[in-house]
Amino acid sequence: MKVSVIGTGHVGLITGATFAERGNDVLCVDVDRKRIRALQKLAMPFHEPGLRELVVRNSKAGRLRFGGTNADAVAFGQVVFICVPTPPQADGHADMTFVENVSRDIAAALQDYRVIVDKSTVPVLTGERVKMVITRYARKNVAFDVASSPEFLREGSAIEDTLNPDRVVFGVESARAEKVLRELYHNFKAPIVVTDIKSAELIKHASNSFLSMKISYANALAAVCELSGADVQQVTRGMGLDRRIGAAFLSAGIGYGGSCFPKDVSAFEAISRELGYDFRLISEVKSVNVEARERFLKKVQEELWIVKGKTLAALGLSFKPNTDDCRESVAIEIVKRLLSMGARVRAYDPAAIPTAREILGKSVTYCRSAYDAARGADAALVLTEWKEFADLDLAKLKRALAQPVVLDGRNLFDPAKMREMGFIYRSVGRP
Ligand code: UDX
């Protein structure tokens, strides 16, 4: 099928590349000309394992093209995916300006029947708005359908998540749109959930908020474990084996970050309130998340006494491993707080130094390795659970540090082994 994708961010670029991989003819457009020029030269705008290979293979096979306007996208694809940002506003609501602008461009360019599918994460009732905008601004009286197909990919495993998803959701309001989308997804092995548009929109916010709730639950549990002397990893392992609960997303740590969870939880809270429901459970998920980083910072203060003037090694800057994405990274927030307390920070991340530099500038010393960051430091702080850190030569790390203090915000190491090696070691929710 001919497929157009508007927006080449994490969702758009991966949507385009994977539909091409599944044998479709794909055109990706973006207003960021620099990004498009780079993609035409097969340079990736962000770090995502396997993406470059996928883009190279499908571009060379002629199934994946970059460039053009939103009008070109409408002319090209039978299905047009909207994959533009919906950033958070100060009051928590998602800013829908880009979605509206794209909808107007689509309206102006519409000549024949198209299925316009929203893949950006949007609040419930957006589909109605998109339909209203297209109807209002269309130059001709052309039939079209609006649909919603939320994306569930995770950064770092985005390709696998998209090619082999747990489920594909699409919300439609006509049999014609359903038929087109079923055909597009015919060679995906995943179960297909067809709903009305509003329900599809809600599935996305509800899923991300639920996952955030699991993480906050684990972090609240970690607090009780610390007070009682129990071990949160043992507790969550015991819980997770119950298939009704599941083991995933129960890792306690410094809290969730990234471009999705914080934004989506706030947007879900905001749209619920606007509709007349105070979703208190969600509000509590947010406060427990902030509490998690505060409890970690308290441990740093407890171990160092005076933070001012101390040198700290920050291991990890990205919001999670296998990505260079530092948006809403709790690691970055913690580094900022330590700097404001007067600490000197030596930071290392396997992928995210260039992106972290855009946020932290020259306020920290960027290092070549975890050992380099630890050199002469009063403590090492594990802030992102990169495998590279789990595999560190701990004796070497100890030799590099001025003081053998490790504060592990991601529960990467075995407490007994760390103490046996002579480290002063604190982690999250474990004795
Ligand atoms: C998330 C959703 O998982 C995905 O379905 C959606 O499409 C986009 O948002 P992503 O933001 O890429 O994906 O990262 P994810 O792997 O979900 O992690 C989010 C945050 O939660 C990270 O900061 C991670 O460190 C944290 N986390 C995750 C925990 O603290 N504990 C856990 O058990 C799991």
Side-chain angles (χ1 to χ4, degrees), residues 10-11 48 121 150-157 161 167 204 207-208 211-212 214-216 218-219 247-262 264 289 318-321 323 325 327-330 383-385 409-410:
H10 236 101
V11 169
E48 179 62 45
T121 300
E151 180 50 62
F152 301 102
L153 64 83
R154 287 163 301 176
E155 290 183 24
S157 55
D161 288 349
R167 79 298 204 188
K204 174 68 186 189
S207 302
N208 273 3
L211 291 168
S212 306
K214 284 188 89 176
I215 299 169
S216 280
N219 282 324
F249 282 69
L250 283 178
S251 297
I254 52 177
Y256 60 80
S259 65
C260 291
F261 283 175
D264 294 354
N289 194 50
S318 56
F319 83 99
K320 67 171 199 177
T323 176
D325 196 341
R327 287 175 292 172
E328 298 285 321
S329 166
V330 183
L383 303 178
T384 312
E385 66 275 39
R410 299 292 192 172

Side-chain angles (χ1 to χ4, degrees), residues 122-409:
V122 296
V124 63
L125 300 177
T126 297
E128 285 187 358
R129 292 283 174 187
V130 170
K131 192 174 162 189
M132 180 194 86
V133 169
I134 298 178
T135 309
R136 190 173 289 173
Y137 292 92
R139 296 225 175 97
K140 287 178 157 185
N141 191 13
V142 184
F144 69 93
D145 268 305
V146 168
S148 159
S149 180
E151 180 50 62
F152 301 102
L153 64 83
R154 287 163 301 176
E155 290 183 24
S157 55
I159 308 283
E160 174 59 22
D161 288 349
T162 313
L163 285 174
N164 298 303
D166 284 354
R167 79 298 204 188
V168 168
V169 173
F170 42 82
V172 287
E173 56 180 18
S174 81
R176 191 174 181 189
E178 180 179 342
K179 188 165 172 277
V180 171
L181 290 176
R182 276 194 188 276
E183 192 184 329
L184 182 59
Y185 280 99
H186 82 276
N187 52 6
F188 283 68
K189 280 201 195 81
I192 290 183
V193 182
V194 182
T195 67
D196 60 90
I197 296 177
K198 294 174 205 171
S199 302
E201 289 166 342
L202 266 179
I203 287 171
K204 174 68 186 189
H205 268 164
S207 302
N208 273 3
S209 299
F210 193 86
L211 291 168
S212 306
M213 185 176 76
K214 284 188 89 176
I215 299 169
S216 280
Y217 193 90
N219 282 324
L221 201 56
V224 178
C225 288
E226 284 174 11
L227 293 167
S228 61
D231 180 330
V232 74
Q233 279 181 324
Q234 294 186 25
V235 178
T236 51
R237 194 170 75 235
M239 288 168 61
L241 285 169
D242 184 328
R243 266 176 295 167
R244 295 168 302 173
I245 297 174
F249 282 69
L250 283 178
S251 297
I254 52 177
Y256 60 80
S259 65
C260 291
F261 283 175
K263 164 174 93 72
D264 294 354
V265 169
S266 290
F268 192 30
E269 186 190 31
I271 185 72
S272 302
R273 191 178 307 119
E274 190 183 312
L275 291 168
Y277 183 68
D278 178 11
F279 211 139
R280 299 175 306 280
L281 196 53
I282 297 293
S283 315
E284 208 48 42
V285 166
K286 286 169 63 177
S287 16
V288 172
N289 194 50
V290 173
E291 219 173 80
R293 85 187 60 156
E294 295 302 328
R295 286 194 303 115
F296 182 75
L297 281 163
K298 191 159 163 261
K299 281 178 199 148
V300 178
Q301 284 173 294
E302 279 166 6
E303 289 308 327
L304 296 176
W305 190 19
I306 305 298
V307 173
K308 192 172 176 197
K310 298 272 164 57
T311 300
L312 301 174
L315 307 188
L317 295 166
S318 56
F319 83 99
K320 67 171 199 177
N322 304 323
T323 176
D324 63 349
D325 196 341
C326 287
R327 287 175 292 172
E328 298 285 321
S329 166
V330 183
I332 297 272
E333 287 310 311
I334 286 177
V335 168
K336 280 188 186 164
R337 286 284 291 281
L338 295 168
L339 290 170
S340 74
M341 288 182 219
R344 279 190 294 269
V345 176
R346 297 175 60 76
Y348 170 70
D349 187 285
I353 289 180
T355 36
R357 205 190 291 270
E358 286 170 23
I359 307 169
L360 296 169
K362 291 186 175 139
S363 60
V364 309
T365 307
Y366 300 97
C367 300
R368 287 184 312 276
S369 68
Y371 308 111
D372 183 22
R375 202 152 38 90
D378 297 286
L381 275 43
V382 181
L383 303 178
T384 312
E385 66 275 39
W386 284 93
K387 184 166 182 304
E388 183 178 323
F389 300 152
D391 294 341
L392 282 176
D393 175 344
L394 292 169
K396 192 170 166 189
L397 182 74
K398 189 161 172 252
R399 282 198 300 278
L401 284 163
Q403 300 296 328
V405 179
V406 173
L407 295 152
D408 182 354

Side-chain angles (χ1 to χ4, degrees), residues 98-120:
F98 298 120
V99 175
E100 182 186 67
N101 289 347
V102 165
S103 306
R104 289 172 65 159
D105 287 350
I106 291 173
L110 212 54
Q111 299 285 346
D112 292 301
Y113 176 76
R114 294 288 181 264
V115 184
I116 317 296
V117 190
D118 178 63
K119 234 185 204 311
S120 306

